[in-house]
Amino acid sequence: MLSLANLPQSITNRPNYNRNKMVAKIVHIGFGAFHRAHQALFTDRLLNTNLSNWSICEVNIIGGEQLISDIRKQDHLYTVLEKGAHSEQAFIIGSIKESLHASIDGIEAIIEKMADPAIEIVSLTITEKGYCILPGGSGLDLNNPLIKADLANPNNPQSAPGLVVEALARRMRKGVASFTALSCDNIPENGLALKMAVIDLAKARDPKLAEWINANTTFPCTMVDRIVPAATPETLTEITAILGGVQDPCGIACEPFIQWVIEDNFVTSRPNWDQVGAEFVQDVRPYEEMKLRMLNGSHSFLAYLGYLAGYKHINDCMRDEHYKKIVLKLMLDQQAPTLNVPPHVNLQHYADKLIERFSNPALKHQTGQIAMDGTQKLPQRILDSIRWHIEHHSDFSLLALAVAAWMRYIGGSDDNHQPIVIQDPMKEQLITLVSNSNDGTERVNKLLSLHAIFGSDLPNNEQFKQHVTAHYLSLMTKGAKQTIKNLNH
Ligand code: NAI
Ligand code: CS2
C-alpha cells in the first residue's frame, strides 16, 4: 500500500503541503477514474502552491466500494501517471481528506456531510446516466426507477439528484447557506442539466424547496477534458514498477493534456483553480460544444466503427490510415462548421491536436469503454450536429455513419461475428427492438422509432433516414473497414 514513507526518492512530485491543515470543503460524488486525474489533481496542484487549504471528501453511491476502501488504507493518497507518446511522469496526489460510501457508511452519513456548513461545493462526475434525465436533456426522467424510489422515500435517496435535493432540503431547514453544485460530466450545459434534474425533483417533493434551491444554489457549467481510460491490471503493474515495487490499487494513468473551463458562478468562495491552469469564464457553452462535438463525437464515431472492425483501442483505429483520414474529415467538414467558437480558437489546430491525442500509443483507451451508454451520448455528440446540417442544407453523411455504426453495434455482434455485450441504461429496450426485427432496413426503422433518442424530427427526415439506412446496409454487407475505405475514395 502506498504511503509517503515508503515511496522511493525518485518520486519527486508529491504533496509539499501540510495535509493536516487541509479542510474538506468539497464533496465530490463519483470517485472514479476521471476525477482522480482531473479535479482532484487540480486541487492538489493548488495545495502545492501553499495558498489554498481546499480539499475533498470523496463519495460513491453506486459502485466503487473497492476504490473507497482501498484509498482509506493509504491515507487517501494515490498516483496519477501521465503518459505521453514519448515520456511519462508520476504524481502522488494528496488533496483527498476523507471518503464515504453509501453501502459502507450509509447514505445518512453522506447526506449529513453534504448538509454540513463547511461544505461549499458539491461536484459530480457520475456519468451521463447518473443525472436521470431524458436523453437529449428534455427533463427529469420520472420513470427512472431511482427517481421513483426517491419520490417515494426522499429521506433515503438512491439517485444523485435525490441526494443533492435531500442535502439541500436539510440545509434549508437548518438555515445553512446553499452549496455550489458543480457538474463535471460530458453533458451539454451540464450545470443546467443538473439544475433541471434537481429542481424538477424538488418541485415534485415540495414547491417551496424548489424555490429555495432556485434562489440560493448555483449550478455552474463546466467543460472538462482529459482522456482517462479505466485502469487495467497492466496500468497498475506499470505504476508499481515506477513506485519501486510499492503497490497502489488506486493508481490511474491518463494523457498529459488537461483542460477545465468553469463558469464563474459560485455561491460562496471557490478554490482559485485558475492559478494552476483552469479557466473561469462567463460562458462555457462555446468551449463545451466544441469539445463534445469535435472530441467526443469523434470518439464515439471511432468507438463504434473501430469496435466493429476489431480495433480494441482508439490508437489502433488511428494506425489505420483510412480511419485517421475519415475522422479528421468528420471533425473539420461536419463538426467544425456547426460551432461558434471564441475568436482565439483555431479549429484546424484543435483537430490536429485531437488526432495526436487519439494516436498516443501509450494510452490504451478501449473502444468498448467509449461505446457504452450510447443512448446517453449520441444526442449531444452527433445528433445535434445533424440537426444543424439539416437546417443549413449541408452534408452530414459521416455523422449519419456514426449513427448507423451504433445501430450495428447494438445488434450484438461485430464484423468477425464475435458477440458484443451491450451496456446501456436502455439496454432492455434496445435488445427487444433488435430481436424483433429483421436485420437491415427493418431494424434501422425500428431503432429510429426511439423518440427518446432521435426525437420526432429526425425519424421523419427522409435524407437522414436514407443516409443512415445506406450506411447501415454497407456496414452489414461490407463491414466497417471496407465501408470507410470506400468513403475515402
Ligand atoms: P468511472 O466508471 O471510472 O466512474 C464513474 C463514477 O460514477 C463512479 O464513481 C460511480 O460510482 C459513479 N456512478 C456511476 N453510475 C452512477 C449513477 N447512476 N449515480 C451516481 N453515481 C454513479 O468513469 P470515469 O472515467 O470516471 O468517467 C465518469 C464521467 O466523467 C464520464 O461519464 C464523463 O461524463 C466524465 N469524463 C470522463 C473522462 C474520461 O476520459 N474518463 C474525461 C472527461 C469527462
Ligand atoms: C469518452 C470521454 O468515454 C467516453 O465516452 O469519449 O470520456 C473522453 O475520454 C473524455 O471526454 C475526454 O475528455
mmCIF file of all heavy atoms in Angstrom, residues 301 305 330 334-335 378 381-383 385-387 389-390 395-408 444 448 454 458 463-473 475 483 487:
data_model
loop_
_atom_site.group_PDB
_atom_site.id
_atom_site.type_symbol
_atom_site.label_atom_id
_atom_site.label_comp_id
_atom_site.label_asym_id
_atom_site.label_seq_id
_atom_site.Cartn_x
_atom_site.Cartn_y
_atom_site.Cartn_z
ATOM 1 N N PHE A 301 -17.656 7.995 -32.854
ATOM 2 C CA PHE A 301 -17.527 7.533 -34.241
ATOM 3 C C PHE A 301 -16.475 6.422 -34.316
ATOM 4 O O PHE A 301 -16.711 5.328 -34.840
ATOM 5 C CB PHE A 301 -17.123 8.747 -35.090
ATOM 6 C CG PHE A 301 -16.852 8.488 -36.549
ATOM 7 C CD1 PHE A 301 -17.855 8.655 -37.493
ATOM 8 C CD2 PHE A 301 -15.579 8.124 -36.989
ATOM 9 C CE1 PHE A 301 -17.593 8.452 -38.860
ATOM 10 C CE2 PHE A 301 -15.312 7.917 -38.343
ATOM 11 C CZ PHE A 301 -16.328 8.081 -39.278
ATOM 12 N N LEU A 305 -17.192 2.311 -35.003
ATOM 13 C CA LEU A 305 -16.615 1.777 -36.254
ATOM 14 C C LEU A 305 -15.354 0.973 -35.967
ATOM 15 O O LEU A 305 -15.065 -0.008 -36.652
ATOM 16 C CB LEU A 305 -16.337 2.918 -37.231
ATOM 17 C CG LEU A 305 -17.647 3.477 -37.810
ATOM 18 C CD1 LEU A 305 -17.517 4.933 -38.205
ATOM 19 C CD2 LEU A 305 -18.124 2.635 -39.001
ATOM 20 N N LEU A 330 -14.440 14.103 -40.600
ATOM 21 C CA LEU A 330 -15.637 14.280 -39.756
ATOM 22 C C LEU A 330 -15.502 15.550 -38.913
ATOM 23 O O LEU A 330 -16.411 16.378 -38.852
ATOM 24 C CB LEU A 330 -15.817 13.054 -38.844
ATOM 25 C CG LEU A 330 -16.909 13.194 -37.775
ATOM 26 C CD1 LEU A 330 -18.282 12.883 -38.355
ATOM 27 C CD2 LEU A 330 -16.664 12.278 -36.585
ATOM 28 N N GLN A 334 -17.687 18.243 -40.854
ATOM 29 C CA GLN A 334 -19.072 18.059 -40.412
ATOM 30 C C GLN A 334 -19.320 18.454 -38.960
ATOM 31 O O GLN A 334 -20.459 18.662 -38.573
ATOM 32 C CB GLN A 334 -19.502 16.607 -40.695
ATOM 33 C CG GLN A 334 -19.429 16.354 -42.195
ATOM 34 C CD GLN A 334 -20.100 15.097 -42.676
ATOM 35 O OE1 GLN A 334 -20.812 14.414 -41.942
ATOM 36 N NE2 GLN A 334 -19.884 14.772 -43.937
ATOM 37 N N GLN A 335 -18.280 18.561 -38.144
ATOM 38 C CA GLN A 335 -18.497 19.057 -36.779
ATOM 39 C C GLN A 335 -18.113 20.536 -36.696
ATOM 40 O O GLN A 335 -18.905 21.349 -36.208
ATOM 41 C CB GLN A 335 -17.665 18.251 -35.750
ATOM 42 C CG GLN A 335 -18.055 16.779 -35.603
ATOM 43 C CD GLN A 335 -19.368 16.545 -34.836
ATOM 44 O OE1 GLN A 335 -20.293 17.359 -34.875
ATOM 45 N NE2 GLN A 335 -19.476 15.403 -34.155
ATOM 46 N N LEU A 378 -25.151 9.848 -27.897
ATOM 47 C CA LEU A 378 -25.358 10.226 -29.301
ATOM 48 C C LEU A 378 -26.025 11.586 -29.482
ATOM 49 O O LEU A 378 -25.614 12.356 -30.359
ATOM 50 C CB LEU A 378 -26.185 9.156 -30.036
ATOM 51 C CG LEU A 378 -25.473 7.861 -30.421
ATOM 52 C CD1 LEU A 378 -26.429 6.966 -31.196
ATOM 53 C CD2 LEU A 378 -24.229 8.118 -31.272
ATOM 54 N N ARG A 381 -23.434 14.419 -29.037
ATOM 55 C CA ARG A 381 -22.178 14.256 -29.770
ATOM 56 C C ARG A 381 -22.379 14.275 -31.283
ATOM 57 O O ARG A 381 -21.495 14.669 -32.029
ATOM 58 C CB ARG A 381 -21.513 12.934 -29.379
ATOM 59 C CG ARG A 381 -21.092 12.903 -27.925
ATOM 60 C CD ARG A 381 -20.426 11.602 -27.534
ATOM 61 N NE ARG A 381 -20.013 11.653 -26.143
ATOM 62 C CZ ARG A 381 -19.057 10.902 -25.610
ATOM 63 N NH1 ARG A 381 -18.417 10.025 -26.347
ATOM 64 N NH2 ARG A 381 -18.742 11.020 -24.339
ATOM 65 N N ILE A 382 -23.540 13.730 -31.710
ATOM 66 C CA ILE A 382 -23.756 13.511 -33.148
ATOM 67 C C ILE A 382 -25.070 14.140 -33.642
ATOM 68 O O ILE A 382 -25.078 14.824 -34.670
ATOM 69 C CB ILE A 382 -23.797 11.974 -33.431
ATOM 70 C CG1 ILE A 382 -22.485 11.287 -32.983
ATOM 71 C CG2 ILE A 382 -24.136 11.673 -34.889
ATOM 72 C CD1 ILE A 382 -21.256 11.586 -33.828
ATOM 73 N N LEU A 383 -26.173 13.891 -32.935
ATOM 74 C CA LEU A 383 -27.485 14.257 -33.489
ATOM 75 C C LEU A 383 -27.706 15.763 -33.545
ATOM 76 O O LEU A 383 -28.331 16.256 -34.488
ATOM 77 C CB LEU A 383 -28.614 13.579 -32.692
ATOM 78 C CG LEU A 383 -28.523 12.045 -32.605
ATOM 79 C CD1 LEU A 383 -29.688 11.471 -31.806
ATOM 80 C CD2 LEU A 383 -28.483 11.416 -34.001
ATOM 81 N N SER A 385 -25.519 17.982 -34.194
ATOM 82 C CA SER A 385 -24.823 18.469 -35.397
ATOM 83 C C SER A 385 -25.628 18.117 -36.652
ATOM 84 O O SER A 385 -25.694 18.902 -37.602
ATOM 85 C CB SER A 385 -23.434 17.832 -35.512
ATOM 86 O OG SER A 385 -22.684 18.098 -34.373
ATOM 87 N N ILE A 386 -26.221 16.930 -36.660
ATOM 88 C CA ILE A 386 -27.033 16.540 -37.829
ATOM 89 C C ILE A 386 -28.185 17.539 -38.008
ATOM 90 O O ILE A 386 -28.472 17.997 -39.118
ATOM 91 C CB ILE A 386 -27.552 15.091 -37.670
ATOM 92 C CG1 ILE A 386 -26.369 14.106 -37.755
ATOM 93 C CG2 ILE A 386 -28.639 14.773 -38.703
ATOM 94 C CD1 ILE A 386 -26.723 12.640 -37.610
ATOM 95 N N ARG A 387 -28.808 17.895 -36.895
ATOM 96 C CA ARG A 387 -29.926 18.865 -36.973
ATOM 97 C C ARG A 387 -29.427 20.198 -37.569
ATOM 98 O O ARG A 387 -30.116 20.823 -38.365
ATOM 99 C CB ARG A 387 -30.523 19.113 -35.587
ATOM 100 C CG ARG A 387 -31.293 17.922 -35.076
ATOM 101 C CD ARG A 387 -32.138 18.260 -33.848
ATOM 102 N NE ARG A 387 -32.972 17.117 -33.543
ATOM 103 C CZ ARG A 387 -32.625 16.142 -32.694
ATOM 104 N NH1 ARG A 387 -31.500 16.193 -32.044
ATOM 105 N NH2 ARG A 387 -33.436 15.110 -32.499
ATOM 106 N N HIS A 389 -27.003 20.611 -39.686
ATOM 107 C CA HIS A 389 -26.794 20.448 -41.141
ATOM 108 C C HIS A 389 -28.127 20.390 -41.892
ATOM 109 O O HIS A 389 -28.235 20.916 -43.000
ATOM 110 C CB HIS A 389 -25.983 19.180 -41.419
ATOM 111 C CG HIS A 389 -24.524 19.344 -41.112
ATOM 112 N ND1 HIS A 389 -23.680 20.124 -41.863
ATOM 113 C CD2 HIS A 389 -23.758 18.835 -40.115
ATOM 114 C CE1 HIS A 389 -22.453 20.088 -41.354
ATOM 115 N NE2 HIS A 389 -22.480 19.308 -40.283
ATOM 116 N N ILE A 390 -29.111 19.746 -41.288
ATOM 117 C CA ILE A 390 -30.416 19.682 -41.962
ATOM 118 C C ILE A 390 -30.936 21.111 -42.161
ATOM 119 O O ILE A 390 -31.383 21.491 -43.243
ATOM 120 C CB ILE A 390 -31.409 18.812 -41.147
ATOM 121 C CG1 ILE A 390 -30.982 17.338 -41.217
ATOM 122 C CG2 ILE A 390 -32.849 18.989 -41.650
ATOM 123 C CD1 ILE A 390 -31.771 16.387 -40.351
ATOM 124 N N ASP A 395 -23.892 18.829 -45.826
ATOM 125 C CA ASP A 395 -23.634 17.381 -45.810
ATOM 126 C C ASP A 395 -23.386 16.854 -44.391
ATOM 127 O O ASP A 395 -22.518 17.365 -43.680
ATOM 128 C CB ASP A 395 -22.394 17.127 -46.686
ATOM 129 C CG ASP A 395 -22.021 15.651 -46.735
ATOM 130 O OD1 ASP A 395 -22.896 14.802 -46.439
ATOM 131 O OD2 ASP A 395 -20.850 15.350 -47.056
ATOM 132 N N PHE A 396 -24.134 15.820 -44.010
ATOM 133 C CA PHE A 396 -23.913 15.214 -42.689
ATOM 134 C C PHE A 396 -23.712 13.707 -42.791
ATOM 135 O O PHE A 396 -23.957 12.956 -41.857
ATOM 136 C CB PHE A 396 -25.075 15.544 -41.733
ATOM 137 C CG PHE A 396 -26.434 15.087 -42.200
ATOM 138 C CD1 PHE A 396 -26.895 13.803 -41.936
ATOM 139 C CD2 PHE A 396 -27.257 15.962 -42.895
ATOM 140 C CE1 PHE A 396 -28.143 13.383 -42.354
ATOM 141 C CE2 PHE A 396 -28.520 15.555 -43.327
ATOM 142 C CZ PHE A 396 -28.962 14.255 -43.052
ATOM 143 N N SER A 397 -23.229 13.260 -43.971
ATOM 144 C CA SER A 397 -23.184 11.816 -44.214
ATOM 145 C C SER A 397 -22.290 11.065 -43.214
ATOM 146 O O SER A 397 -22.607 9.941 -42.823
ATOM 147 C CB SER A 397 -22.733 11.542 -45.646
ATOM 148 O OG SER A 397 -21.513 12.211 -45.860
ATOM 149 N N LEU A 398 -21.182 11.686 -42.783
ATOM 150 C CA LEU A 398 -20.298 10.964 -41.848
ATOM 151 C C LEU A 398 -20.904 10.905 -40.449
ATOM 152 O O LEU A 398 -20.708 9.928 -39.711
ATOM 153 C CB LEU A 398 -18.906 11.604 -41.808
ATOM 154 C CG LEU A 398 -18.150 11.568 -43.128
ATOM 155 C CD1 LEU A 398 -16.792 12.253 -42.998
ATOM 156 C CD2 LEU A 398 -17.970 10.126 -43.620
ATOM 157 N N LEU A 399 -21.647 11.944 -40.101
ATOM 158 C CA LEU A 399 -22.342 11.897 -38.808
ATOM 159 C C LEU A 399 -23.383 10.778 -38.837
ATOM 160 O O LEU A 399 -23.557 10.035 -37.856
ATOM 161 C CB LEU A 399 -23.014 13.246 -38.530
ATOM 162 C CG LEU A 399 -22.057 14.417 -38.279
ATOM 163 C CD1 LEU A 399 -22.729 15.751 -38.557
ATOM 164 C CD2 LEU A 399 -21.520 14.376 -36.852
ATOM 165 N N ALA A 400 -24.052 10.644 -39.990
ATOM 166 C CA ALA A 400 -25.051 9.568 -40.128
ATOM 167 C C ALA A 400 -24.378 8.187 -40.054
ATOM 168 O O ALA A 400 -24.969 7.215 -39.571
ATOM 169 C CB ALA A 400 -25.812 9.719 -41.449
ATOM 170 N N LEU A 401 -23.121 8.129 -40.518
ATOM 171 C CA LEU A 401 -22.387 6.854 -40.433
ATOM 172 C C LEU A 401 -22.184 6.443 -38.965
ATOM 173 O O LEU A 401 -22.261 5.261 -38.616
ATOM 174 C CB LEU A 401 -21.034 6.989 -41.151
ATOM 175 C CG LEU A 401 -20.069 5.807 -41.048
ATOM 176 C CD1 LEU A 401 -20.681 4.526 -41.646
ATOM 177 C CD2 LEU A 401 -18.744 6.121 -41.752
ATOM 178 N N ALA A 402 -21.944 7.440 -38.105
ATOM 179 C CA ALA A 402 -21.776 7.123 -36.676
ATOM 180 C C ALA A 402 -23.070 6.524 -36.122
ATOM 181 O O ALA A 402 -23.036 5.568 -35.329
ATOM 182 C CB ALA A 402 -21.388 8.378 -35.902
ATOM 183 N N VAL A 403 -24.204 7.059 -36.546
ATOM 184 C CA VAL A 403 -25.496 6.530 -36.066
ATOM 185 C C VAL A 403 -25.676 5.091 -36.552
ATOM 186 O O VAL A 403 -26.059 4.188 -35.786
ATOM 187 C CB VAL A 403 -26.672 7.417 -36.564
ATOM 188 C CG1 VAL A 403 -28.017 6.827 -36.138
ATOM 189 C CG2 VAL A 403 -26.520 8.842 -36.058
ATOM 190 N N ALA A 404 -25.361 4.869 -37.836
ATOM 191 C CA ALA A 404 -25.506 3.516 -38.403
ATOM 192 C C ALA A 404 -24.578 2.539 -37.686
ATOM 193 O O ALA A 404 -24.950 1.387 -37.404
ATOM 194 C CB ALA A 404 -25.204 3.548 -39.901
ATOM 195 N N ALA A 405 -23.365 3.001 -37.365
ATOM 196 C CA ALA A 405 -22.401 2.118 -36.691
ATOM 197 C C ALA A 405 -22.887 1.771 -35.288
ATOM 198 O O ALA A 405 -22.741 0.631 -34.834
ATOM 199 C CB ALA A 405 -21.026 2.786 -36.631
ATOM 200 N N TRP A 406 -23.495 2.753 -34.612
ATOM 201 C CA TRP A 406 -24.070 2.467 -33.290
ATOM 202 C C TRP A 406 -25.172 1.403 -33.429
ATOM 203 O O TRP A 406 -25.253 0.471 -32.633
ATOM 204 C CB TRP A 406 -24.635 3.764 -32.675
ATOM 205 C CG TRP A 406 -25.476 3.504 -31.449
ATOM 206 C CD1 TRP A 406 -25.021 3.168 -30.213
ATOM 207 C CD2 TRP A 406 -26.902 3.513 -31.371
ATOM 208 N NE1 TRP A 406 -26.094 2.976 -29.359
ATOM 209 C CE2 TRP A 406 -27.247 3.180 -30.040
ATOM 210 C CE3 TRP A 406 -27.934 3.776 -32.287
ATOM 211 C CZ2 TRP A 406 -28.576 3.096 -29.601
ATOM 212 C CZ3 TRP A 406 -29.247 3.708 -31.858
ATOM 213 C CH2 TRP A 406 -29.555 3.370 -30.537
ATOM 214 N N MET A 407 -25.982 1.530 -34.483
ATOM 215 C CA MET A 407 -27.069 0.554 -34.692
ATOM 216 C C MET A 407 -26.494 -0.845 -34.927
ATOM 217 O O MET A 407 -27.025 -1.833 -34.432
ATOM 218 C CB MET A 407 -27.950 0.976 -35.874
ATOM 219 C CG MET A 407 -28.791 2.185 -35.567
ATOM 220 S SD MET A 407 -29.777 2.648 -37.012
ATOM 221 C CE MET A 407 -30.876 3.869 -36.282
ATOM 222 N N ARG A 408 -25.418 -0.922 -35.706
ATOM 223 C CA ARG A 408 -24.766 -2.231 -35.936
ATOM 224 C C ARG A 408 -24.231 -2.766 -34.613
ATOM 225 O O ARG A 408 -24.345 -3.951 -34.316
ATOM 226 C CB ARG A 408 -23.576 -2.099 -36.904
ATOM 227 C CG ARG A 408 -23.896 -1.880 -38.341
ATOM 228 C CD ARG A 408 -24.677 -2.984 -38.994
ATOM 229 N NE ARG A 408 -23.985 -4.272 -39.027
ATOM 230 C CZ ARG A 408 -24.629 -5.443 -39.139
ATOM 231 N NH1 ARG A 408 -25.943 -5.497 -39.241
ATOM 232 N NH2 ARG A 408 -23.948 -6.565 -39.167
ATOM 233 N N VAL A 444 -33.283 -0.758 -38.909
ATOM 234 C CA VAL A 444 -32.997 0.695 -38.864
ATOM 235 C C VAL A 444 -34.280 1.449 -38.512
ATOM 236 O O VAL A 444 -34.302 2.304 -37.619
ATOM 237 C CB VAL A 444 -32.426 1.179 -40.225
ATOM 238 C CG1 VAL A 444 -32.312 2.703 -40.260
ATOM 239 C CG2 VAL A 444 -31.072 0.542 -40.491
ATOM 240 N N LEU A 448 -34.992 3.724 -35.250
ATOM 241 C CA LEU A 448 -35.278 5.154 -35.397
ATOM 242 C C LEU A 448 -36.555 5.561 -34.669
ATOM 243 O O LEU A 448 -36.788 6.737 -34.410
ATOM 244 C CB LEU A 448 -35.385 5.525 -36.879
ATOM 245 C CG LEU A 448 -34.062 5.612 -37.640
ATOM 246 C CD1 LEU A 448 -34.303 5.947 -39.106
ATOM 247 C CD2 LEU A 448 -33.138 6.658 -37.024
ATOM 248 N N PHE A 454 -33.954 9.962 -30.820
ATOM 249 C CA PHE A 454 -33.956 10.653 -32.119
ATOM 250 C C PHE A 454 -34.993 11.775 -32.219
ATOM 251 O O PHE A 454 -35.052 12.467 -33.221
ATOM 252 C CB PHE A 454 -34.178 9.642 -33.244
ATOM 253 C CG PHE A 454 -33.059 8.635 -33.345
ATOM 254 C CD1 PHE A 454 -33.234 7.323 -32.924
ATOM 255 C CD2 PHE A 454 -31.814 9.021 -33.822
ATOM 256 C CE1 PHE A 454 -32.196 6.401 -32.998
ATOM 257 C CE2 PHE A 454 -30.762 8.113 -33.894
ATOM 258 C CZ PHE A 454 -30.947 6.806 -33.478
ATOM 259 N N LEU A 458 -36.053 13.792 -36.486
ATOM 260 C CA LEU A 458 -35.098 13.035 -37.311
ATOM 261 C C LEU A 458 -35.723 11.816 -38.000
ATOM 262 O O LEU A 458 -35.487 11.608 -39.198
ATOM 263 C CB LEU A 458 -33.870 12.640 -36.482
ATOM 264 C CG LEU A 458 -32.962 13.811 -36.060
ATOM 265 C CD1 LEU A 458 -31.799 13.333 -35.197
ATOM 266 C CD2 LEU A 458 -32.431 14.561 -37.281
ATOM 267 N N GLN A 463 -33.904 12.459 -45.759
ATOM 268 C CA GLN A 463 -32.472 12.465 -46.063
ATOM 269 C C GLN A 463 -31.696 11.745 -44.950
ATOM 270 O O GLN A 463 -30.792 10.945 -45.215
ATOM 271 C CB GLN A 463 -32.015 13.919 -46.168
ATOM 272 C CG GLN A 463 -30.756 14.101 -46.956
ATOM 273 C CD GLN A 463 -30.192 15.505 -46.763
ATOM 274 O OE1 GLN A 463 -30.781 16.340 -46.071
ATOM 275 N NE2 GLN A 463 -29.053 15.751 -47.384
ATOM 276 N N PHE A 464 -32.086 12.030 -43.714
ATOM 277 C CA PHE A 464 -31.436 11.382 -42.566
ATOM 278 C C PHE A 464 -31.661 9.869 -42.633
ATOM 279 O O PHE A 464 -30.727 9.069 -42.509
ATOM 280 C CB PHE A 464 -32.010 11.973 -41.261
ATOM 281 C CG PHE A 464 -31.526 11.281 -40.012
ATOM 282 C CD1 PHE A 464 -30.199 11.396 -39.601
ATOM 283 C CD2 PHE A 464 -32.397 10.519 -39.230
ATOM 284 C CE1 PHE A 464 -29.751 10.765 -38.445
ATOM 285 C CE2 PHE A 464 -31.952 9.885 -38.074
ATOM 286 C CZ PHE A 464 -30.625 10.005 -37.693
ATOM 287 N N LYS A 465 -32.916 9.492 -42.876
ATOM 288 C CA LYS A 465 -33.234 8.055 -42.935
ATOM 289 C C LYS A 465 -32.447 7.354 -44.043
ATOM 290 O O LYS A 465 -31.905 6.263 -43.863
ATOM 291 C CB LYS A 465 -34.738 7.866 -43.197
ATOM 292 C CG LYS A 465 -35.487 7.575 -41.908
ATOM 293 C CD LYS A 465 -36.968 7.702 -42.036
ATOM 294 C CE LYS A 465 -37.634 6.672 -42.902
ATOM 295 N NZ LYS A 465 -39.114 6.815 -42.823
ATOM 296 N N GLN A 466 -32.369 8.044 -45.178
ATOM 297 C CA GLN A 466 -31.661 7.441 -46.330
ATOM 298 C C GLN A 466 -30.172 7.247 -46.028
ATOM 299 O O GLN A 466 -29.607 6.192 -46.289
ATOM 300 C CB GLN A 466 -31.807 8.327 -47.560
ATOM 301 C CG GLN A 466 -33.082 8.063 -48.335
ATOM 302 C CD GLN A 466 -33.324 9.153 -49.366
ATOM 303 O OE1 GLN A 466 -32.405 9.874 -49.744
ATOM 304 N NE2 GLN A 466 -34.580 9.276 -49.801
ATOM 305 N N HIS A 467 -29.560 8.287 -45.465
ATOM 306 C CA HIS A 467 -28.123 8.191 -45.144
ATOM 307 C C HIS A 467 -27.862 7.048 -44.162
ATOM 308 O O HIS A 467 -26.958 6.242 -44.357
ATOM 309 C CB HIS A 467 -27.619 9.489 -44.504
ATOM 310 C CG HIS A 467 -27.173 10.520 -45.491
ATOM 311 N ND1 HIS A 467 -26.340 10.233 -46.534
ATOM 312 C CD2 HIS A 467 -27.427 11.844 -45.560
ATOM 313 C CE1 HIS A 467 -26.100 11.332 -47.213
ATOM 314 N NE2 HIS A 467 -26.756 12.324 -46.646
ATOM 315 N N VAL A 468 -28.659 7.030 -43.085
ATOM 316 C CA VAL A 468 -28.417 6.022 -42.043
ATOM 317 C C VAL A 468 -28.643 4.623 -42.632
ATOM 318 O O VAL A 468 -27.833 3.708 -42.420
ATOM 319 C CB VAL A 468 -29.327 6.259 -40.804
ATOM 320 C CG1 VAL A 468 -29.173 5.137 -39.794
ATOM 321 C CG2 VAL A 468 -28.992 7.597 -40.151
ATOM 322 N N THR A 469 -29.702 4.476 -43.404
ATOM 323 C CA THR A 469 -30.007 3.156 -43.962
ATOM 324 C C THR A 469 -28.909 2.702 -44.929
ATOM 325 O O THR A 469 -28.448 1.546 -44.868
ATOM 326 C CB THR A 469 -31.382 3.165 -44.688
ATOM 327 O OG1 THR A 469 -32.332 3.740 -43.807
ATOM 328 C CG2 THR A 469 -31.828 1.775 -45.079
ATOM 329 N N ALA A 470 -28.478 3.601 -45.807
ATOM 330 C CA ALA A 470 -27.441 3.223 -46.786
ATOM 331 C C ALA A 470 -26.157 2.804 -46.066
ATOM 332 O O ALA A 470 -25.534 1.790 -46.403
ATOM 333 C CB ALA A 470 -27.176 4.384 -47.735
ATOM 334 N N HIS A 471 -25.760 3.573 -45.051
ATOM 335 C CA HIS A 471 -24.542 3.229 -44.299
ATOM 336 C C HIS A 471 -24.731 1.897 -43.566
ATOM 337 O O HIS A 471 -23.819 1.078 -43.505
ATOM 338 C CB HIS A 471 -24.208 4.315 -43.279
ATOM 339 C CG HIS A 471 -23.637 5.556 -43.878
ATOM 340 N ND1 HIS A 471 -22.655 5.540 -44.839
ATOM 341 C CD2 HIS A 471 -23.886 6.869 -43.636
ATOM 342 C CE1 HIS A 471 -22.335 6.783 -45.164
ATOM 343 N NE2 HIS A 471 -23.070 7.604 -44.457
ATOM 344 N N TYR A 472 -25.920 1.737 -42.995
ATOM 345 C CA TYR A 472 -26.172 0.505 -42.242
ATOM 346 C C TYR A 472 -26.015 -0.706 -43.165
ATOM 347 O O TYR A 472 -25.366 -1.702 -42.835
ATOM 348 C CB TYR A 472 -27.582 0.532 -41.621
ATOM 349 C CG TYR A 472 -27.843 -0.635 -40.694
ATOM 350 C CD1 TYR A 472 -27.642 -0.517 -39.326
ATOM 351 C CD2 TYR A 472 -28.260 -1.883 -41.187
ATOM 352 C CE1 TYR A 472 -27.843 -1.584 -38.464
ATOM 353 C CE2 TYR A 472 -28.458 -2.963 -40.343
ATOM 354 C CZ TYR A 472 -28.251 -2.802 -38.984
ATOM 355 O OH TYR A 472 -28.449 -3.882 -38.145
ATOM 356 N N LEU A 473 -26.600 -0.603 -44.358
ATOM 357 C CA LEU A 473 -26.547 -1.742 -45.287
ATOM 358 C C LEU A 473 -25.105 -1.991 -45.746
ATOM 359 O O LEU A 473 -24.692 -3.142 -45.917
ATOM 360 C CB LEU A 473 -27.477 -1.496 -46.480
ATOM 361 C CG LEU A 473 -28.972 -1.422 -46.103
ATOM 362 C CD1 LEU A 473 -29.827 -1.077 -47.313
ATOM 363 C CD2 LEU A 473 -29.460 -2.735 -45.462
ATOM 364 N N LEU A 475 -22.396 -1.315 -43.910
ATOM 365 C CA LEU A 475 -21.700 -1.920 -42.765
ATOM 366 C C LEU A 475 -22.084 -3.398 -42.644
ATOM 367 O O LEU A 475 -21.256 -4.253 -42.333
ATOM 368 C CB LEU A 475 -22.066 -1.192 -41.464
ATOM 369 C CG LEU A 475 -21.520 0.244 -41.323
ATOM 370 C CD1 LEU A 475 -22.130 0.934 -40.100
ATOM 371 C CD2 LEU A 475 -19.994 0.238 -41.214
ATOM 372 N N THR A 483 -16.259 -0.182 -45.614
ATOM 373 C CA THR A 483 -17.167 0.970 -45.761
ATOM 374 C C THR A 483 -16.360 2.265 -45.683
ATOM 375 O O THR A 483 -16.535 3.180 -46.495
ATOM 376 C CB THR A 483 -18.256 0.931 -44.660
ATOM 377 O OG1 THR A 483 -19.022 -0.250 -44.850
ATOM 378 C CG2 THR A 483 -19.158 2.142 -44.696
ATOM 379 N N LEU A 487 -15.581 5.141 -48.569
ATOM 380 C CA LEU A 487 -15.956 6.548 -48.391
ATOM 381 C C LEU A 487 -14.767 7.477 -48.584
ATOM 382 O O LEU A 487 -14.940 8.652 -48.928
ATOM 383 C CB LEU A 487 -16.544 6.768 -46.996
ATOM 384 C CG LEU A 487 -17.965 6.241 -46.815
ATOM 385 C CD1 LEU A 487 -18.348 6.206 -45.344
ATOM 386 C CD2 LEU A 487 -18.954 7.103 -47.598
#
